[in-house]
Structures are given as C-alpha cells and as structure tokens.
Amino acid sequence: MAKIRVYYGQLGKYVIPYLRKRFIEGFDINGDVYVCESFLSFLFFKCGNPRNISKADFLNWITTDKQSSASTFNNHISIAIRFLKFLNSEGVSAWYPTSLKILYKRRNVYVPHIFSSSELQKIIKAADSVPFIPSEPLRHLSIPIMFRFLINFGLRASEVCNIHRFDVFSKKIIIKDAKKSGFRLIPLSMNMEKILEEYIRYAHGDSKDNKFLFLSSPDRRITTLSLYTYFRKILQISGISHKGRGFGPRLIDFRHTFCVLRIRNWLKEGRDMMEIMPYLSRFLGHSSISQTAYYFSLVPDLFEDIRTLESKFYQNLLPDLDWEFDYEKQEF
C-alpha cells in the first residue's frame, strides 16, 4: 500500500499544483514528493509554521540532512529550490540561494578496485568452498555460478540476481537490463552451459514456473543484499582487505575489472578499438560509447600500449624531414 503523504502548514496547499506542473512537463516527481514533505514538515514543527520562508529557515533545514550521500543531498537542495521558485511565482516570499557552490557537498571520487588474476582465482576458490547448510540447501550451488557470472561477463549484481529460469536458452542468456529498457544476449561457453544445465536440473527440476534462476532454497531467491553479504565473506577468506564504506572493493568492481582486462587484451592484440568499442558498449548495456570509454582511464599500462601501437601503425604515416634544409625560404 502506498504511503499517504501529508503536507503540513500554510504552504501545503501549493504542493499539489507544483507536483501537477512537474508531472505535466514530463518529469519524475517521486523525488519532489519526498522533499516537499520533508521541507514542509520541518517548517511546521521546527519553524512555527511560517507564512513566508526566510534564509534562516532554508539553511536550518539543510543542516537536518546529515546522513545522505553527496549526490542525494545535492539533489534534495535542487528540488527544494525548484519548489521555492514556484512559491515565488505564486506570490509567496520564499528565499532561495542564487549560487549553489557553497551549499553543495563535494562528491567523493571512488577509484574502482581492479582485481588481479591471482585475486580472481582466490575469489573463485573461496566461492566454491561455500558450505552446505540445511536451511539454504541451494546456496552452495548458486554462489559459485553467480560469481563466475560477475567475473566472466561483467554483469551488475542486480542483473545476476534478477535472471529468471526462462531467461536461460541454449548457448545464451537474456539479460533484461537493470537500468534501461531492452535486453542483452550473453553467450555461454560449452563449459558454462554444462554447469548451468546441471544446476537447473538439481535446483529447478522439471518445474515450469518462471522462478528466479539463483536460489538459496526452493522457495527463496538470492537477493543483491545476500550476494553482497557473501561477497564480504569471500573477500575475507581470500585475504583481500575491505577498506570500508565508500572505499571498496565493491561488487561492481568485478564489472570494472572485466572491462579493463578486455580493453587491455584488445590493445595488446592490436585490435581496432574504434570498431570493437560499440560491441563492448552494447554487451555492457551502456547507452553511449562515451560511458564505455571511461574504462580506458583505468587500464594501468594503457599509455605504454598506446605508445607501442603508435610506433607500429603510424611510423610511416609522415615522411622523414631533412631538418638541415631551410624550409623558411621555400615557396609552397
């Protein structure tokens, strides 16, 4: 059942017209709904239900949002300012900042952890050692395959957890994109296909129900939260330290590692990246090639590879010049 939102105070009557305007303009109003409720509740209970909004009211409300991440905090401020501008257009005196540089939180730049080959081997070994427990009789079978999907296919954790039984076909799996509409095809090697067939036969049998593929028990799926819990345990078993919240490693780093290793191998093979990048971008489910190009900055020895490629392919592109010849006196 959806939560009923209450917009307190003298300014509550302006919220519905504001939300209607945003909706008609084609915007997602879920964030606006939450921020308007939070802001007006603060004004009602903490500021004496004012008719107008002062600078102090706005800045005091900001200080109550201490737990949100930088991106969420900044988004809340932007939404609140839009609402305040709307109030001004309706004749309400509402202060809002004209510059956001001082108010915005600076986002922490996360540097992805690129797993080494030895680390990946340790992780697979640790995943294979997940013990059988009676309360979750399928967990020890699902977890090793799920981590192989993360490592070998560069899938997001949510994509792996949301695969259904009917998404598995001969030699391929259909991934319904977790972020955007459409789907992607993931080819399966003969070995992986055999592993999946054995798992499905044991975990699903002859069932015609379109259950989630990876289960911890016949009636319970493995969620992204559960997968992350196993991930932290596997890191500990593998001797890979976790640096804490915001510093990783994270599950998404398997996807980053997949991309970096793939690009690095293609560069060393001398492949034409301009031809290959669209395929990699489509495989990853990116909306543009520029998203995929980000991974070039993560290849550790990229510049050395580029220097080698330049020497190989472009050394004869320009003619040798006689620097002793006086070109300034020549007519062109």
Side-chain angles (χ1 to χ4, degrees), residues 14 18-19 27 45 53 56 59 70-71 81 113 138 146 156 162 204 246 272 282 299 306 314:
Y14 295 100
Y18 165 74
L19 294 177
F27 295 102
F45 292 107
I53 301 175
L59 296 180
S71 58
I81 290 175
H113 178 90
L138 299 177
M146 296 178 83
R156 303 178 182 95
N162 290 332
H204 295 268
D272 187 340
R282 182 69 184 91
V299 181
I306 290 178
Y314 303 122

Side-chain angles (χ1 to χ4, degrees), residues 8-19 21 36 39-40 43 50-54 57-58 79-96:
Y8 293 95
Q10 302 183 67
L11 302 177
K13 62 182 180 181
Y14 295 100
V15 177
I16 299 302
Y18 165 74
L19 294 177
K21 177 178 180 293
C36 287
F39 188 35
L40 293 183
L43 293 176
R51 181 183 300 273
N52 301 309
I53 301 175
S54 66
D57 293 335
F58 180 81
I79 292 174
I81 290 175
R82 281 201 303 268
F83 178 58
L84 293 172
K85 288 181 178 180
F86 175 80
L87 291 178
N88 274 283
S89 69
E90 295 293 314
V92 178
S93 177
W95 181 91
Y96 61 87

Side-chain angles (χ1 to χ4, degrees), residues 20 26 30 33 35 38 81 84 103 176 181 185 190 223 242 308:
R20 185 182 296 114
N30 289 324
V33 169
V35 171
S38 170
I81 290 175
L84 293 172
L103 297 178
K176 299 178 179 66
S181 59
L185 297 179
M190 292 181 61
T223 64
H242 192 276
T308 303

Side-chain angles (χ1 to χ4, degrees), residues 179-238:
K179 286 194 170 183
K180 305 173 183 67
S181 59
F183 65 92
R184 310 197 310 278
L185 297 179
I186 305 298
L188 297 174
S189 65
M190 292 181 61
N191 184 46
M192 183 60 72
E193 188 175 19
K194 182 178 180 181
I195 292 175
L196 266 182
E197 287 178 354
E198 293 178 355
Y199 166 78
I200 291 173
R201 189 180 305 112
Y202 185 87
H204 295 268
D206 297 328
S207 174
K208 300 299 182 182
D209 296 333
N210 190 19
K211 293 182 178 180
F212 287 100
L213 178 62
F214 295 115
L215 307 171
S216 59
S217 62
D219 58 347
R220 190 186 313 158
R221 61 177 293 203
I222 295 181
T223 64
T224 53
L225 180 59
S226 298
L227 186 61
Y228 179 75
T229 301
Y230 298 135
F231 170 63
R232 291 295 298 269
K233 293 178 180 178
I234 286 172
L235 284 181
Q236 186 176 12
I237 296 172
S238 304

